[in-house]
Amino acid sequence: MDSPAAKPPAPLLIHGLTRDELARVCREAGAQPYRARQVWDWLYRKRVSEWDAMTNLPPALRAALSGRCLLRPAEALRVEGRPGHTRKILAGLADGEQVEEVLIPAARRRTVCVSSQVGCRFRCAFCASGQAGFRRNLEAGEMVGQALLAARLLEAAPTHVVFMGVGEPLDNYDAVLRAVRILNDADGLAVGARRITISTCGLVPGIARLAGEGLQVELSVSLHAPTDALRAELMPVNRRYPLAVLLEACRDYTARTGRIVTFEYTLIRGCNDAREHARALAALLKGLACRVNLIPLSPVAEFGYAASDAAAARLFTETLSRAGINATLRISRGASLDAACGQLRARSRSQPLPGGPRR
Ligand code: SAH
């Protein structure tokens, strides 16, 4: 920590500590090594939200930890949706910022979609997240905290975590990887690496770095267009990392990790959903080990386009399939909840919520 000595140290987010780091904090508080394991258990197995609930810890350790660490990195300010269905949580952070997360239950799966930043720098034309600009990176503990809010609501740990909420995870690389390792810890939430997906708008250096982590996380790349011209219009990041460079990084990711890359393609009526687009996409992806998820656009006020109609979406999917591309048309389960990126936060910013998060 390099903060000036005059300032009191900022509280540590305890959910942002790896097990070794937690052991060090406990040791510094004068506790025996086995105490760290007990704390970890309270954090991730019993998932308590009060220090006093950690009943098997000596009061002195509880006091030392509560004096130094924050136990609630995020609070649920609002929950939308019914139990058993897609639900959305607006999470308030300690500094008053807000992010959203989405819970998607399915047969035997509990998927939580978490945010990695407050806002986003990349300004994809169809995405609500970038429209309000970038505010800050999330800390690892705030991302793990989102998974814990979900676990509390579901009364069970999530089985899958996808970094597809607000923000660009590879633009907050270190904190995201730290969160991945904490989520993945076998004695904690134990979300398997293959059940963690990092979704990117195409930051090539981040993809290359991720390939070298020795982790088996799923990589999802938001493609949305088969040509550089159209992609650059929809996603300005394409000017920095054009398709040829991006696809090369994806090929390399598969070669080094053995994981197949998923491409996300949002179907936008009269923009990227013609048969020629499907054919161009098939040609672009030919020979690449990949799958394609086709998702009808979730309308965003400032982007004057609509979702493709059902017939166009089906035709697009079939054209890809016939060309030998593994393509799946997804129904947007969050559509009725405004679950597209940034929409809940965008709405809450125009209708301020009463109260803020508590420490
Ligand atoms: N920044 C990352 C992750 C967050 S976005 C990325 O770009 O992948 C998660 C996914 O939602 C991305 O595929 C993104 O392109 C898509 N998305 C954003 N706005 C959308 C909208 N209005 N309708 C459908 N999908 C959208």
Side-chain angles (χ1 to χ4, degrees):
M1 309 270 152
D2 51 9
S3 54
K7 264 206 235 162
L12 276 176
L13 301 187
I14 197 164
H15 299 95
L17 301 177
T18 62
R19 207 124 55 101
D20 289 347
E21 289 165 346
L22 180 65
R24 198 172 62 227
V25 168
C26 290
R27 197 168 57 237
E28 283 165 10
Q32 297 283 320
Y34 75 95
R35 294 295 186 189
R37 224 170 313 126
Q38 290 180 324
V39 177
W40 193 262
D41 202 59
W42 284 115
L43 296 178
Y44 298 112
R45 287 294 167 99
K46 304 195 183 82
R47 300 188 285 272
V48 296
S49 50
E50 306 284 347
W51 295 106
D52 287 343
M54 301 185 184
T55 46
N56 61 357
L57 300 187
L61 177 58
R62 256 184 274 163
L65 291 176
S66 66
R68 189 160 171 206
C69 303
L70 201 60
L71 184 59
R72 296 187 191 192
E75 298 279 353
L77 297 180
R78 182 155 75 201
V79 181
E80 293 184 6
R82 284 175 293 136
H85 294 76
T86 298
R87 303 178 89 181
K88 189 147 70 165
I89 303 177
L90 183 68
L93 308 174
D95 64 353
E97 293 288 2
Q98 299 174 356
V99 288
E100 63 196 46
E101 58 178 305
V102 181
L103 278 50
I104 309 153
R108 293 196 298 278
R109 277 187 180 211
R110 293 177 298 276
T111 304
V112 51
C113 170
V114 299
S115 292
S116 56
Q117 298 180 315
V118 185
C120 185
R121 294 183 218 269
F122 294 90
R123 298 188 178 276
C124 299
F126 48 81
C127 179
S129 296
Q131 284 166 359
F134 174 78
R135 308 259 312 166
R136 71 168 171 87
N137 278 328
L138 291 193
E139 291 184 43
E142 293 172 323
M143 293 180 254
V144 175
Q146 292 173 62
L148 286 171
L149 286 184
R152 233 162 262 150
L153 209 63
L154 298 166
E155 295 176 5
T159 58
H160 294 70
V161 175
V162 299
F163 287 86
M164 287 191 179
V166 177
E168 167 50 47
L170 297 184
D171 185 42
N172 184 15
Y173 190 95
D174 291 333
V176 166
L177 262 283
R178 172 178 277 269
V180 165
R181 293 186 197 282
I182 295 167
L183 293 166
N184 184 227
D185 187 288
D187 296 320
L189 290 171
V191 185
R194 292 178 178 204
R195 295 173 166 202
I196 298 176
T197 301
I198 292 184
S199 181
T200 179
C201 62
L203 300 190
V204 166
I207 295 173
R209 207 175 148 194
L210 191 63
E213 293 286 351
L215 277 169
Q216 293 250 297
V217 293
E218 292 288 329
L219 177 66
S220 194
V221 173
S222 301
L223 208 56
H224 306 318
T227 62
D228 279 318
L230 182 56
R231 191 164 188 269
E233 236 173 81
L234 293 173
M235 304 178 71
V237 69
N238 193 76
R239 299 201 183 97
R240 226 191 310 162
Y241 305 113
L243 285 168
V245 179
L246 175 58
L247 295 184
E248 192 47 42
C250 294
R251 228 171 253 120
D252 190 56
Y253 188 82
T254 300
R256 290 169 73 189
T257 62
R259 307 304 299 154
I260 285 175
V261 174
T262 300
F263 292 106
E264 307 292 333
Y265 194 104
T266 295
L267 290 165
I268 308 168
R269 189 186 301 179
C271 170
N272 66 354
D273 67 342
R275 200 168 207 175
E276 299 76 73
H277 293 119
R279 290 202 181 112
L281 183 61
L284 185 73
L285 301 180
K286 196 164 189 282
L288 196 85
C290 67
R291 53 181 102 76
V292 177
N293 276 336
L294 299 161
I295 311 129
L297 177 79
S298 184
V300 171
E302 292 81 351
F303 181 59
Y305 283 94
S308 305
D309 59 48
R314 258 200 317 276
L315 184 63
F316 198 98
T317 312
E318 282 165 17
T319 306
L320 286 181
S321 302
R322 262 189 246 119
I325 306 284
N326 179 354
T328 313
L329 182 60
R330 307 267 171 200
I331 316 136
S332 174
R333 272 178 289 189
S336 61
L337 282 178
D338 286 350
C341 258
Q343 290 186 2
L344 182 68
R345 179 167 164 268
R347 192 144 52 83
S348 102
R349 281 159 64 90
S350 47
Q351 298 166 12
L353 292 159
R358 283 172 299 144
R359 272 280 165 94

